[in-house]
Amino acid sequence: MATILPLDEAVRRLVHDGDTVALEGFTHLIPMAAGHELIRQRLRGLTLVRMTPDLVYDQMIGAGLADRLVFSWGGNPGVGSLHRFRDAVQNGWPGPLAIEEHSHAGMANRYVAGASGVPFAVLRGYRGTDLVGQTATIKPITCPFTGEELTAVPALNPDVAIVHAQRADRAGNVQLWGILGVQKEAVLAARRSLATVEEIVDELAPVPGAVLLPARVVTAVAEVPGGASPSYAQGYYDRDNDAYQAWDAIGRDRAAFTDWLRREVHGRAGVSGGAA
Amino acid sequence: MNAPAGADWTADEMMTVAAARALRPGAACFVGIGLPSTAANLARRTHAPDLWLIYESGALGAKPDRLPLSIGDGILADTADTVVSVPEIFNYWLQPGRIDVGFLGAAQIDRYANINTTVIGPYGEPEVRLPGAGGAPEIAASCREVIVIVRQNRRTFTESVDFVTSVGFGRGPGDRERLGLRGGGPVRVITDLGVLEPDPDTRELTLTSVHPGVDPEQARERTGWELKLAPDLARTQAPTPAELAALRALLQTQR
């Protein structure tokens, strides 16, 4: 059953050096504040898993938390590149970053396999692309029924999944709606999970199209209002597109980034809510 | 700028209008952010109000009244017929061939319309690390047809791509079938200079239309392979006042 904890305590209990950690949220509900807490706790040697690294992984990679990145699209949506990610891959700054690169369809299916308790997933994908030759976790497979050649990708079962949601009740049931991404699959695939939420309420009123993560599959819940900013939480606040555009200049420059990190992350210990 | 002297539109506007025109009313269209999203929303505001826009964030039938910056902006979920999860959009909608048109951009594209959005230079020692695949490989594989929108220059239109992120026609006729790719592949590459289409026999991208004010030689100069011209090379119709007004009004909504 989920335990309700302050964010820093939840991260201390759930995330350890060397873990494989997935922060999910597809443009919407990105757990930015939790990412910043991982940076403040100076975790090291992580394998970071995420379909769209976005600003949160750009920041975590730049802060030196990751040895390895498993991903499918590493850009700043609608703006351009992620320069900390690029600097790590091209120049090994602040340290070397190994990458394991997939397509969205492949990553989504890897989470589905992980959530489903099977070792791999099958899809029509990757055939003819150079990803096949670069990524060891993409293999051809023959359908035992039709003989057709398809593609297999292994299950993803992170040590920890971290998601952000609109709200939870006091028992730790978590409710999220709007663009759903792959959060349900990530939580069900992971060994431990943390949900940060905009608010904890007495009762979860039904919302059309919402996903409920039952408390029994959530390890910890932390109330972090604004915890997805500058991404957004449908029904609470909008995406801060200006912040995404402003990130380009910060992320491009090591000194500007280091200064940002000191000011907006390390300088905000104990401040809940999204920095940046 | 390649617009003819005295034109009241730019080459980028021509490109976006040409891309919007390529979308048939009622088509299910898988939209990426940037030029594809602008073109698709322009089509919805002009000749194809019933275009069914699908964003990879899971918004099916999105009807945004302003241009989103990202594929997951709240306006898309708010206006969608329904919102589905990411596994569902790829497995239930894209993979089985339910999408008519996929729109892609490119950092590099070769004569067989193979696309690179992964890396410039060697994969292990990149000169420029690009964002990567995202939804593109499976869009390229599974949509009934693919339209590419990209500005034309020698850096982008290369003899060979440094990395095949998304397959066009592979190395020529028969490759898509051999690979088991069930969608039809690229039907049109729309640039700021004109329109390229695969030759029906060789599958090689051939210039089939030039925009007003563009000399076909310009297109050849800005292509890294020996670009062939279609025998019946057409001249793209200039943007109409109505198209331009709709496009400019749409772009005004972005801020």
Side-chain angles (χ1 to χ4, degrees):
Chain A
M1 283 299 167
T3 311
I4 295 176
L5 294 170
L7 176 59
D8 57 348
E9 178 64 22
V11 169
R12 251 190 303 281
R13 284 204 207 173
L14 266 62
V15 191
H16 313 296
D17 286 348
D19 275 353
T20 295
V21 183
L23 276 69
E24 279 299 348
F26 202 87
T27 311
H28 178 218
L29 295 175
I30 298 178
M32 295 277 186
H36 293 177
E37 185 57 32
L38 266 71
I39 295 175
R40 276 193 290 274
Q41 295 195 14
R42 299 184 191 279
L43 284 148
R44 286 295 178 266
L46 301 180
T47 292
L48 293 180
V49 183
R50 184 172 159 73
M51 292 183 66
T52 56
D54 204 89
L55 271 52
V56 68
Y57 275 17
D58 210 33
Q59 294 160 0
M60 292 165 74
I61 289 165
L65 276 67
D67 281 358
R68 184 176 180 80
L69 176 70
V70 183
F71 75 108
S72 43
W73 192 81
N76 180 346
V79 178
S81 287
L82 293 175
H83 294 280
R84 294 298 93 225
F85 157 68
R86 224 162 117 163
D87 201 11
V89 173
Q90 292 178 204
N91 309 311
W93 193 93
L97 181 72
I99 56 173
E100 180 179 333
E101 183 163 7
H102 280 269
S103 68
H104 281 349
M107 284 292 283
N109 277 287
R110 297 189 66 188
Y111 279 122
V112 169
S116 307
V118 292
F120 68 91
V122 175
L123 69 154
R124 295 181 188 285
Y126 299 107
R127 292 184 50 85
T129 75
D130 285 340
L131 285 165
V132 177
Q134 292 296 344
T135 303
T137 47
I138 300 170
K139 297 280 186 200
I141 188 169
T142 305
C143 170
F145 304 104
T146 64
E148 198 176 352
E149 282 274 308
L150 301 163
T151 299
V153 288
L156 270 171
N157 291 106
D159 295 309
V160 194
I162 301 178
V163 300
H164 186 76
Q166 279 95 343
R167 57 196 186 188
D169 65 16
R170 294 183 198 288
N173 296 295
V174 173
Q175 189 187 39
L176 64 100
W177 65 89
I179 285 173
L180 302 170
V182 73
Q183 288 96 304
K184 178 164 76 178
E185 290 76 11
V187 165
L188 292 175
R191 293 173 183 87
R192 303 182 291 280
S193 62
L194 163 64
T196 57
V197 295
E198 289 297 319
E199 57 176 338
I200 293 175
V201 297
D202 289 329
E203 199 170 335
L204 294 174
V207 174
V211 161
L212 187 97
L213 301 169
R216 66 185 61 239
V217 298
V218 180
T219 316
V221 172
E223 188 174 36
V224 187
S229 176
S231 99
Y232 71 106
Q234 188 103 11
Y236 288 78
Y237 47 92
D238 290 335
R239 192 172 190 267
D240 185 351
N241 284 337
D242 291 342
Y244 273 84
Q245 277 161 338
W247 181 254
D248 192 69
I250 301 165
R252 258 176 210 279
D253 182 72
R254 290 177 187 171
F257 168 74
T258 306
D259 184 55
W260 175 89
L261 202 59
R262 185 178 47 73
R263 213 176 50 243
E264 299 294 334
V265 179
H266 293 297
R268 287 178 176 242
V271 181
S272 65
Chain B
M1 291 299 117
N2 302 290
D8 60 347
W9 43 267
T10 67
D12 272 5
E13 286 176 328
M14 179 72 256
M15 172 166 62
T16 309
V17 165
R21 287 177 190 158
L23 297 169
R24 287 185 303 276
C29 180
F30 205 104
V31 185
I33 214 63
L35 287 169
S37 179
T38 307
N41 279 291
L42 176 60
R44 219 168 49 77
R45 284 168 171 233
T46 51
H47 68 283
D50 58 349
L51 201 62
W52 206 53
L53 301 192
I54 298 165
Y55 286 79
E56 68 187 13
S57 55
L60 299 180
K63 294 168 276 291
D65 59 9
R66 58 176 190 270
L67 275 185
L69 180 69
S70 80
I71 44 87
D73 279 22
I75 187 78
L76 300 175
D78 281 340
T79 61
D81 294 339
T82 186
V83 178
V84 301
S85 70
V86 168
E88 185 170 336
I89 199 97
F90 285 100
N91 286 352
Y92 296 177
W93 292 92
L94 182 59
Q95 184 167 261
R98 291 184 217 280
I99 313 298
D100 298 309
V101 187
F103 250 131
L104 295 175
Q108 288 181 330
I109 183 167
D110 68 16
R111 70 174 74 210
Y112 293 117
N114 301 300
I115 289 174
N116 174 16
T117 55
T118 301
V119 69
I120 304 296
Y123 187 80
E125 285 176 55
E127 286 158 35
V128 183
R129 175 63 228 200
L130 302 165
E138 285 77 25
I139 292 171
S142 295
C143 288
R144 293 206 176 92
E145 53 185 55
V146 170
I147 297 173
V148 183
I149 311 186
V150 62
R151 294 186 187 96
Q152 194 162 348
N153 57 62
R154 276 180 174 260
R155 202 163 38 91
T156 305
F157 285 66
T158 47
E159 174 67 42
S160 64
V161 292
D162 293 351
F163 192 94
V164 178
T165 311
S166 305
V167 179
F169 295 102
R171 290 189 197 85
D175 260 19
R176 287 188 69 87
E177 294 74 11
R178 183 179 58 74
L179 292 165
L181 309 180
R182 302 205 298 183
V187 293
R188 235 176 239 109
V189 177
I190 296 169
T191 81
D192 49 346
L193 300 182
V195 179
L196 291 73
E197 295 178 47
D199 179 275
D201 297 322
T202 66
R203 298 300 195 190
E204 183 174 323
L205 287 176
T206 303
L207 190 69
T208 55
S209 183
V210 281
H211 299 329
V214 177
D215 183 332
E217 269 316 303
Q218 268 178 280
R220 289 164 56 90
E221 278 161 22
R222 291 215 229 153
T223 304
W225 67 87
E226 196 60 38
L227 177 64
K228 295 196 176 91
L229 310 185
D232 53 348
L233 181 67
R235 177 72 66 182
T236 313
Q237 189 204 339
T240 66
E243 285 169 330
L244 279 178
L247 174 58
R248 288 168 187 171
L250 182 64
L251 291 170
Q252 281 296 320
T253 65
Q254 193 149 35
R255 294 250 41 113

